[in-house]
Amino acid sequence: MVRERPLVAGVALPWSVFVNILIVLIVLSGVAFLCGLLYLRFQDIARKRELDDALSDARRWVERLAGQVAHLLGTNAPAKQALAAASERFTLACSRLDLAKTVEQAGLAKQTALEGFHHIRAARVAMGLNPGPPLPEEAERSRAGGEVAGRAVPPAQVPIQSLQNESP
């Protein structure tokens, strides 16, 4: 029995041509698969690098806040209240930083630390000290109050007493 050759556009082709085409298609599929794996791997590396950058930025602000909370002592009631609020923000920022697994979670830890810095600034003003350098403003929050990450946060109410009314 003689095999008939398949007809392509009316021309009979030998089987070896079909086998060669099949081999080329298999090789191209394999190359495409490997390229896809490499693409996914590079995306994963970029995501990891972005997370590491966000975590290190948040860690920097949390560590700066730790130094301010540890070294400032309130000299009056409003300053003590503001320092207590800053200390609470520091504790929350540390907790969020430890649990952060995404860039957004690291951003929340940084925002919490910046809220703590706003309380530190309020305490420094209440004690009659220089409030320090300005803090970076972010789109979601322009000060410790307002809306942060979709939740309402009441602004810190720190009454500032006049230094003239205090007796020596």
Side-chain angles (χ1 to χ4, degrees):
M1 174 166 198
V2 177
R3 281 189 176 172
E4 293 182 25
R5 292 191 240 169
L7 295 177
V8 176
V11 177
L13 296 175
W15 283 105
S16 62
V17 172
F18 288 109
V19 172
N20 288 340
I21 291 173
L22 185 62
I23 290 172
V24 167
L25 288 176
I26 291 172
V27 169
L28 287 177
S29 297
V31 169
F33 179 75
L34 290 177
C35 288
L37 286 179
L38 283 174
Y39 175 75
L40 291 176
R41 178 67 180 144
F42 286 134
Q43 269 190 334
D44 189 42
I45 290 170
R47 232 184 335 262
K48 175 84 169 107
R49 185 174 295 139
E50 187 179 355
L51 176 60
D52 289 344
D53 289 345
L55 286 173
S56 67
D57 187 38
R59 191 173 295 113
R60 178 177 65 98
W61 285 103
V62 169
E63 288 172 358
R64 285 184 62 191
L65 180 60
Q68 291 291 313
V69 168
H71 291 99
L72 281 177
L73 297 174
T75 57
N76 54 28
K80 288 179 183 178
Q81 179 185 1
L83 287 174
S87 178
E88 289 174 3
R89 297 304 189 284
F90 168 70
T91 303
L92 181 58
C94 285
S95 175
R96 285 183 172 174
L97 188 61
D98 288 341
L99 298 175
K101 300 284 188 242
T102 65
V103 173
E104 292 79 18
Q105 291 172 338
L108 283 176
K110 176 185 172 183
Q111 288 177 0
T112 304
L114 288 174
E115 288 174 13
F117 267 106
H118 286 285
H119 291 290
I120 291 291
R121 288 174 62 89
R124 292 176 69 88
V125 168
M127 292 187 293
L129 300 173
N130 181 352
L135 298 173
E137 296 297 323
E138 296 194 5
E140 297 89 19
R141 177 201 34 79
S142 64
R143 58 190 196 109
E147 188 171 332
V148 178
R151 61 180 171 81
V153 177
Q157 298 295 324
V158 181
I160 300 175
Q161 298 174 350
S162 172
L163 296 176
Q164 298 170 352
N165 295 340
E166 295 180 12
S167 59

